[in-house]
Amino acid sequence: MNKQELVIVEKKMESTNENDLTVMDLPGVGPATAEKLAIAGYEDLMAIAVATPGELIDASGVGEAAAKKIIASARAAMRMGFESGTDILKRRQSIIKIPTGSENLNKLLGGGFETGAIVECFGEFGSGKTQIAHALAVQCQKQNPNAVAVFIDTENTFRPERIIELAKGAGLDPEIVLGNIKVARAYNSDHQMLLAEKVSDLISKQGLNVKVVIVDSLTAHFRAEFIGRGTLAERQQKLNKHMHELLKVADSNNVLVYVTNQVMARPDVFFGDPTAAIGGHVVAHASTFRVYLRKGKKGSRVAKLIDSPNLPDGETAFIVETGGLRDI
Ligand code: GTP
Ligand code: MG
């Protein structure tokens, strides 16, 4: 695309609201191409703006020159949204910190689990990841009676009975609390990804005041479906797409996305902790906060903050009781 054409596209894009533009508004994209692109996952301008020409050629069969032109136009149309520090500070003031019932754990996380972020808890079986998920689904409602929690359940570990106990422990009406938790069972990784995409609909179309989205477990299906070295790249690619979808949910709706992750043994490590989180860098980088959970003494659980943009790393202990998470 030459400079003049770009200017025309930019002018046209400027006169329309960016949100109203669709892939079909891009030069050289007719209904057939748009459909092919959509099938391959290029449904909005952002997806196209960050694609490579090769990817678009594969997806839609357009020629190289056309692909370059489509990408350049999509880029020209994107207001990449630089915000001032003041704007971001203002936005951060709308962040809510969802407490857990354990003051220690709240303090470790600067007051609670933050909305607008992905928080990843990883640890061995029985370390308390699912218990924290249940606690958050209840506690967000204690803070705000209209709050809704979404629970994407991949391992069939959501237990309404447990919610009833926790609601009672928090002094809430169990029936109301259960009603405000929307649970969906994910049967495989594609299903899980689709459910994550549908969360935005719950908010925008059904008008639910979703404050927490739980994915428990984030990685189990991916781990089970992609076995062996050869499929690792494909798995990481899909996981990356999933994480970005979740990031979008967290960011654009001021929602806490809480994901759980198991650990695997690292036979190469002789000193220090011989375990590593599943999902590697893809999950680690997309998560805003990472908490490592392990079993401590006398039935306690130890939580260690591993990665945080603004909090010191630290460690604390709590226990899981019938009525909720408590300090020791
Ligand atoms: P995996 O999903 O297997 O990786 O484990 P997880 O990290 O999700 O563990 P989970 O959160 O399920 O923790 C299980 C532990 O929580 C149990 O071993 C119990 O110690 C505790 N727990 C679970 N339910 C209850 C309960 O109703 N009351 C009490 N007091 N403790 C419970
Ligand atoms: Mg679990």
Side-chain angles (χ1 to χ4, degrees):
M1 181 180 287
N2 65 39
K3 213 169 174 183
Q4 208 174 3
E5 274 178 302
L6 257 182
V7 170
I8 293 168
V9 171
E10 270 174 39
K11 280 264 153 61
K12 184 184 163 205
M13 304 294 189
E14 261 167 29
S15 60
T16 11
N17 187 337
E18 177 193 315
N19 298 326
D20 298 340
L21 289 170
T22 67
V23 175
M24 289 259 278
D25 291 315
L26 298 170
V29 180
T33 308
E35 195 184 331
K36 281 186 204 155
L37 287 169
I39 289 168
Y42 299 99
E43 284 171 323
D44 53 26
L45 295 190
M46 174 64 101
I48 292 186
V50 300
T52 64
E55 285 168 341
L56 286 201
I57 293 167
D58 288 346
S60 66
V62 297
E64 190 178 340
K68 283 183 176 162
K69 190 168 168 177
I70 291 169
I71 291 168
S73 319
R75 289 186 174 185
M78 300 295 310
R79 305 211 178 88
M80 291 309 268
F82 288 100
E83 289 178 288
S84 71
T86 329
D87 289 339
I88 293 174
L89 184 64
K90 216 184 278 166
R91 197 145 52 86
R92 281 194 58 78
Q93 277 155 1
S94 63
I95 283 174
I96 300 163
K97 298 195 176 177
I98 300 168
T100 58
S102 154
E103 280 303 319
N104 286 343
L105 189 54
N106 297 346
K107 220 182 288 164
L108 181 76
L109 290 158
F113 285 65
E114 265 189 35
T115 56
I118 298 183
V119 182
E120 174 203 357
C121 266
F122 64 102
E124 61 169 332
F125 68 93
S127 57
K129 305 180 291 292
T130 300
Q131 289 302 312
I132 292 180
H134 282 72
L136 288 170
V138 172
Q139 290 288 330
C140 70
Q141 301 189 49
K142 180 164 180 150
Q143 198 173 39
N144 174 356
N146 296 318
V148 167
V150 173
F151 202 117
I152 299 177
D153 184 3
T154 74
E155 298 184 301
N156 198 16
T157 48
F158 175 78
R159 289 290 175 276
E161 300 85 347
R162 186 70 187 118
I163 295 292
I164 291 172
E165 287 177 346
L166 294 171
K168 285 182 185 160
L172 299 172
D173 180 339
E175 224 166 291
I176 295 177
V177 170
L178 273 176
N180 287 330
I181 302 176
K182 308 293 172 199
V183 186
R185 190 69 210 284
Y187 294 102
N188 57 47
S189 64
D190 286 304
H191 190 194
Q192 181 180 332
M193 290 168 79
L194 179 64
L195 288 170
E197 285 171 30
K198 293 293 175 194
V199 171
S200 308
D201 287 354
L202 289 181
I203 298 166
S204 64
K205 294 189 183 146
Q206 296 190 34
L208 295 183
N209 185 23
V210 176
K211 281 288 149 237
V212 183
V213 174
I214 292 155
V215 187
D216 183 25
S217 132
L218 175 74
T219 46
H221 281 317
F222 289 91
R223 190 186 194 188
E225 289 165 28
F226 297 90
I227 302 161
R229 282 260 144 215
T231 59
L232 196 61
E234 197 191 336
R235 181 188 87 179
Q236 292 305 86
Q237 219 169 22
K238 275 187 84 174
L239 203 47
N240 192 30
K241 189 161 179 248
H242 188 39
M243 291 309 287
H244 276 93
E245 186 61 43
L246 293 171
L247 208 51
K248 212 163 74 184
V249 170
D251 211 36
S252 43
N253 305 296
N254 194 25
V255 158
L256 158 67
V257 175
Y258 172 80
V259 302
T260 69
N261 194 358
Q262 269 176 319
V263 290
M264 57 187 173
R266 286 174 53 185
D268 54 325
V269 172
F270 295 101
F271 302 101
D273 195 341
T275 57
I278 311 284
H281 295 302
V282 163
V283 175
H285 282 158
S287 305
T288 323
F289 298 91
R290 310 186 69 216
V291 177
Y292 176 42
L293 288 178
R294 61 184 161 80
K295 295 174 193 163
K297 284 180 195 145
K298 294 185 187 153
S300 69
R301 297 291 183 271
V302 180
K304 184 175 183 182
L305 188 64
I306 303 277
D307 240 345
S308 150
N310 60 329
L311 297 170
D313 288 1
E315 204 174 85
T316 196
F318 65 94
I319 41 170
V320 180
E321 284 184 351
T322 308
L325 309 186
R326 303 281 182 257
D327 290 340
I328 295 168

